[in-house]
mmCIF file with all atom_site columns, all heavy atoms in Angstrom:
data_model
loop_
_atom_site.group_PDB
_atom_site.id
_atom_site.type_symbol
_atom_site.label_atom_id
_atom_site.label_alt_id
_atom_site.label_comp_id
_atom_site.label_asym_id
_atom_site.label_entity_id
_atom_site.label_seq_id
_atom_site.pdbx_PDB_ins_code
_atom_site.Cartn_x
_atom_site.Cartn_y
_atom_site.Cartn_z
_atom_site.occupancy
_atom_site.B_iso_or_equiv
_atom_site.pdbx_formal_charge
_atom_site.auth_seq_id
_atom_site.auth_comp_id
_atom_site.auth_asym_id
_atom_site.auth_atom_id
_atom_site.pdbx_PDB_model_num
ATOM 1   N N   . LYS A 1 251 ? 81.343 67.202 42.299 1.00 0.00 ? 251 LYS A N   1
ATOM 2   C CA  . LYS A 1 251 ? 81.712 66.183 43.228 1.00 0.00 ? 251 LYS A CA  1
ATOM 3   C C   . LYS A 1 251 ? 80.825 66.228 44.464 1.00 0.00 ? 251 LYS A C   1
ATOM 4   O O   . LYS A 1 251 ? 80.382 67.267 44.889 1.00 0.00 ? 251 LYS A O   1
ATOM 5   C CB  . LYS A 1 251 ? 83.207 66.366 43.669 1.00 0.00 ? 251 LYS A CB  1
ATOM 6   C CG  . LYS A 1 251 ? 84.168 66.233 42.525 1.00 0.00 ? 251 LYS A CG  1
ATOM 7   C CD  . LYS A 1 251 ? 85.618 66.427 43.047 1.00 0.00 ? 251 LYS A CD  1
ATOM 8   C CE  . LYS A 1 251 ? 86.634 66.281 41.940 1.00 0.00 ? 251 LYS A CE  1
ATOM 9   N NZ  . LYS A 1 251 ? 88.002 66.505 42.417 1.00 0.00 ? 251 LYS A NZ  1
ATOM 10  N N   . SER A 1 252 ? 80.527 64.987 44.939 1.00 0.00 ? 252 SER A N   1
ATOM 11  C CA  . SER A 1 252 ? 79.713 64.904 46.192 1.00 0.00 ? 252 SER A CA  1
ATOM 12  C C   . SER A 1 252 ? 80.526 65.384 47.379 1.00 0.00 ? 252 SER A C   1
ATOM 13  O O   . SER A 1 252 ? 81.735 65.222 47.442 1.00 0.00 ? 252 SER A O   1
ATOM 14  C CB  . SER A 1 252 ? 79.310 63.446 46.443 1.00 0.00 ? 252 SER A CB  1
ATOM 15  O OG  . SER A 1 252 ? 80.443 62.596 46.570 1.00 0.00 ? 252 SER A OG  1
ATOM 16  N N   . ARG A 1 253 ? 79.818 65.961 48.327 1.00 0.00 ? 253 ARG A N   1
ATOM 17  C CA  . ARG A 1 253 ? 80.479 66.528 49.483 1.00 0.00 ? 253 ARG A CA  1
ATOM 18  C C   . ARG A 1 253 ? 79.963 65.905 50.733 1.00 0.00 ? 253 ARG A C   1
ATOM 19  O O   . ARG A 1 253 ? 78.792 65.597 50.908 1.00 0.00 ? 253 ARG A O   1
ATOM 20  C CB  . ARG A 1 253 ? 80.229 68.064 49.526 1.00 0.00 ? 253 ARG A CB  1
ATOM 21  C CG  . ARG A 1 253 ? 80.858 68.778 50.688 1.00 0.00 ? 253 ARG A CG  1
ATOM 22  C CD  . ARG A 1 253 ? 80.601 70.267 50.656 1.00 0.00 ? 253 ARG A CD  1
ATOM 23  N NE  . ARG A 1 253 ? 81.137 70.938 51.835 1.00 0.00 ? 253 ARG A NE  1
ATOM 24  C CZ  . ARG A 1 253 ? 80.984 72.265 52.035 1.00 0.00 ? 253 ARG A CZ  1
ATOM 25  N NH1 . ARG A 1 253 ? 80.357 72.984 51.159 1.00 0.00 ? 253 ARG A NH1 1
ATOM 26  N NH2 . ARG A 1 253 ? 81.538 72.773 53.139 1.00 0.00 ? 253 ARG A NH2 1
ATOM 27  N N   . ASP A 1 254 ? 80.877 65.579 51.691 1.00 0.00 ? 254 ASP A N   1
ATOM 28  C CA  . ASP A 1 254 ? 80.523 64.999 52.972 1.00 0.00 ? 254 ASP A CA  1
ATOM 29  C C   . ASP A 1 254 ? 80.204 66.075 54.017 1.00 0.00 ? 254 ASP A C   1
ATOM 30  O O   . ASP A 1 254 ? 81.094 66.919 54.271 1.00 0.00 ? 254 ASP A O   1
ATOM 31  C CB  . ASP A 1 254 ? 81.652 64.104 53.477 1.00 0.00 ? 254 ASP A CB  1
ATOM 32  C CG  . ASP A 1 254 ? 81.279 63.313 54.695 1.00 0.00 ? 254 ASP A CG  1
ATOM 33  O OD1 . ASP A 1 254 ? 80.063 63.337 55.043 1.00 0.00 ? 254 ASP A OD1 1
ATOM 34  O OD2 . ASP A 1 254 ? 82.173 62.733 55.316 1.00 0.00 ? 254 ASP A OD2 1
ATOM 35  N N   . TYR A 1 255 ? 78.967 66.067 54.475 1.00 0.00 ? 255 TYR A N   1
ATOM 36  C CA  . TYR A 1 255 ? 78.559 67.096 55.440 1.00 0.00 ? 255 TYR A CA  1
ATOM 37  C C   . TYR A 1 255 ? 78.654 66.658 56.920 1.00 0.00 ? 255 TYR A C   1
ATOM 38  O O   . TYR A 1 255 ? 78.119 67.319 57.754 1.00 0.00 ? 255 TYR A O   1
ATOM 39  C CB  . TYR A 1 255 ? 77.112 67.548 55.112 1.00 0.00 ? 255 TYR A CB  1
ATOM 40  C CG  . TYR A 1 255 ? 77.022 68.285 53.816 1.00 0.00 ? 255 TYR A CG  1
ATOM 41  C CD1 . TYR A 1 255 ? 76.625 67.627 52.669 1.00 0.00 ? 255 TYR A CD1 1
ATOM 42  C CD2 . TYR A 1 255 ? 77.236 69.620 53.741 1.00 0.00 ? 255 TYR A CD2 1
ATOM 43  C CE1 . TYR A 1 255 ? 76.509 68.288 51.458 1.00 0.00 ? 255 TYR A CE1 1
ATOM 44  C CE2 . TYR A 1 255 ? 77.131 70.343 52.519 1.00 0.00 ? 255 TYR A CE2 1
ATOM 45  C CZ  . TYR A 1 255 ? 76.780 69.655 51.402 1.00 0.00 ? 255 TYR A CZ  1
ATOM 46  O OH  . TYR A 1 255 ? 76.637 70.307 50.173 1.00 0.00 ? 255 TYR A OH  1
ATOM 47  N N   . PHE A 1 256 ? 79.260 65.462 57.146 1.00 0.00 ? 256 PHE A N   1
ATOM 48  C CA  . PHE A 1 256 ? 79.281 64.963 58.560 1.00 0.00 ? 256 PHE A CA  1
ATOM 49  C C   . PHE A 1 256 ? 80.134 65.876 59.423 1.00 0.00 ? 256 PHE A C   1
ATOM 50  O O   . PHE A 1 256 ? 79.817 66.185 60.561 1.00 0.00 ? 256 PHE A O   1
ATOM 51  C CB  . PHE A 1 256 ? 79.825 63.572 58.559 1.00 0.00 ? 256 PHE A CB  1
ATOM 52  C CG  . PHE A 1 256 ? 79.864 62.937 59.922 1.00 0.00 ? 256 PHE A CG  1
ATOM 53  C CD1 . PHE A 1 256 ? 78.688 62.555 60.567 1.00 0.00 ? 256 PHE A CD1 1
ATOM 54  C CD2 . PHE A 1 256 ? 81.075 62.788 60.607 1.00 0.00 ? 256 PHE A CD2 1
ATOM 55  C CE1 . PHE A 1 256 ? 78.733 62.033 61.851 1.00 0.00 ? 256 PHE A CE1 1
ATOM 56  C CE2 . PHE A 1 256 ? 81.114 62.234 61.881 1.00 0.00 ? 256 PHE A CE2 1
ATOM 57  C CZ  . PHE A 1 256 ? 79.934 61.864 62.494 1.00 0.00 ? 256 PHE A CZ  1
ATOM 58  N N   . ALA A 1 257 ? 81.239 66.307 58.891 1.00 0.00 ? 257 ALA A N   1
ATOM 59  C CA  . ALA A 1 257 ? 82.127 67.225 59.693 1.00 0.00 ? 257 ALA A CA  1
ATOM 60  C C   . ALA A 1 257 ? 81.408 68.537 59.984 1.00 0.00 ? 257 ALA A C   1
ATOM 61  O O   . ALA A 1 257 ? 81.511 69.116 61.054 1.00 0.00 ? 257 ALA A O   1
ATOM 62  C CB  . ALA A 1 257 ? 83.446 67.481 58.953 1.00 0.00 ? 257 ALA A CB  1
ATOM 63  N N   . ASP A 1 258 ? 80.703 69.051 58.982 1.00 0.00 ? 258 ASP A N   1
ATOM 64  C CA  . ASP A 1 258 ? 79.920 70.254 59.223 1.00 0.00 ? 258 ASP A CA  1
ATOM 65  C C   . ASP A 1 258 ? 78.855 70.044 60.284 1.00 0.00 ? 258 ASP A C   1
ATOM 66  O O   . ASP A 1 258 ? 78.608 70.951 61.086 1.00 0.00 ? 258 ASP A O   1
ATOM 67  C CB  . ASP A 1 258 ? 79.272 70.737 57.909 1.00 0.00 ? 258 ASP A CB  1
ATOM 68  C CG  . ASP A 1 258 ? 80.284 71.126 56.901 1.00 0.00 ? 258 ASP A CG  1
ATOM 69  O OD1 . ASP A 1 258 ? 81.464 71.359 57.293 1.00 0.00 ? 258 ASP A OD1 1
ATOM 70  O OD2 . ASP A 1 258 ? 80.015 71.082 55.655 1.00 0.00 ? 258 ASP A OD2 1
ATOM 71  N N   . PHE A 1 259 ? 78.211 68.888 60.320 1.00 0.00 ? 259 PHE A N   1
ATOM 72  C CA  . PHE A 1 259 ? 77.213 68.571 61.303 1.00 0.00 ? 259 PHE A CA  1
ATOM 73  C C   . PHE A 1 259 ? 77.824 68.576 62.689 1.00 0.00 ? 259 PHE A C   1
ATOM 74  O O   . PHE A 1 259 ? 77.230 69.082 63.658 1.00 0.00 ? 259 PHE A O   1
ATOM 75  C CB  . PHE A 1 259 ? 76.552 67.224 60.977 1.00 0.00 ? 259 PHE A CB  1
ATOM 76  C CG  . PHE A 1 259 ? 75.681 66.714 62.067 1.00 0.00 ? 259 PHE A CG  1
ATOM 77  C CD1 . PHE A 1 259 ? 74.416 67.231 62.293 1.00 0.00 ? 259 PHE A CD1 1
ATOM 78  C CD2 . PHE A 1 259 ? 76.176 65.702 62.896 1.00 0.00 ? 259 PHE A CD2 1
ATOM 79  C CE1 . PHE A 1 259 ? 73.598 66.748 63.292 1.00 0.00 ? 259 PHE A CE1 1
ATOM 80  C CE2 . PHE A 1 259 ? 75.363 65.194 63.925 1.00 0.00 ? 259 PHE A CE2 1
ATOM 81  C CZ  . PHE A 1 259 ? 74.087 65.735 64.131 1.00 0.00 ? 259 PHE A CZ  1
ATOM 82  N N   . LEU A 1 260 ? 78.981 67.947 62.820 1.00 0.00 ? 260 LEU A N   1
ATOM 83  C CA  . LEU A 1 260 ? 79.657 67.888 64.131 1.00 0.00 ? 260 LEU A CA  1
ATOM 84  C C   . LEU A 1 260 ? 80.001 69.317 64.611 1.00 0.00 ? 260 LEU A C   1
ATOM 85  O O   . LEU A 1 260 ? 79.842 69.580 65.814 1.00 0.00 ? 260 LEU A O   1
ATOM 86  C CB  . LEU A 1 260 ? 80.883 67.041 64.051 1.00 0.00 ? 260 LEU A CB  1
ATOM 87  C CG  . LEU A 1 260 ? 80.688 65.534 63.805 1.00 0.00 ? 260 LEU A CG  1
ATOM 88  C CD1 . LEU A 1 260 ? 82.035 64.836 63.723 1.00 0.00 ? 260 LEU A CD1 1
ATOM 89  C CD2 . LEU A 1 260 ? 79.831 64.944 64.934 1.00 0.00 ? 260 LEU A CD2 1
ATOM 90  N N   . ILE A 1 261 ? 80.411 70.147 63.714 1.00 0.00 ? 261 ILE A N   1
ATOM 91  C CA  . ILE A 1 261 ? 80.865 71.463 64.109 1.00 0.00 ? 261 ILE A CA  1
ATOM 92  C C   . ILE A 1 261 ? 79.674 72.336 64.477 1.00 0.00 ? 261 ILE A C   1
ATOM 93  O O   . ILE A 1 261 ? 79.710 73.118 65.502 1.00 0.00 ? 261 ILE A O   1
ATOM 94  C CB  . ILE A 1 261 ? 81.722 72.093 63.024 1.00 0.00 ? 261 ILE A CB  1
ATOM 95  C CG1 . ILE A 1 261 ? 83.001 71.309 62.832 1.00 0.00 ? 261 ILE A CG1 1
ATOM 96  C CG2 . ILE A 1 261 ? 82.005 73.578 63.314 1.00 0.00 ? 261 ILE A CG2 1
ATOM 97  C CD1 . ILE A 1 261 ? 83.859 71.759 61.666 1.00 0.00 ? 261 ILE A CD1 1
ATOM 98  N N   . THR A 1 262 ? 78.610 72.244 63.728 1.00 0.00 ? 262 THR A N   1
ATOM 99  C CA  . THR A 1 262 ? 77.496 73.175 63.906 1.00 0.00 ? 262 THR A CA  1
ATOM 100 C C   . THR A 1 262 ? 76.449 72.685 64.891 1.00 0.00 ? 262 THR A C   1
ATOM 101 O O   . THR A 1 262 ? 75.817 73.538 65.591 1.00 0.00 ? 262 THR A O   1
ATOM 102 C CB  . THR A 1 262 ? 76.781 73.390 62.565 1.00 0.00 ? 262 THR A CB  1
ATOM 103 O OG1 . THR A 1 262 ? 76.364 72.144 62.021 1.00 0.00 ? 262 THR A OG1 1
ATOM 104 C CG2 . THR A 1 262 ? 77.710 74.057 61.588 1.00 0.00 ? 262 THR A CG2 1
#
Side-chain angles (χ1 to χ4, degrees):
K251 297 181 180 179
S252 60
R253 181 179 176 182
D254 187 11
Y255 292 96
F256 182 73
D258 297 338
F259 170 77
L260 293 178
I261 295 174
T262 57

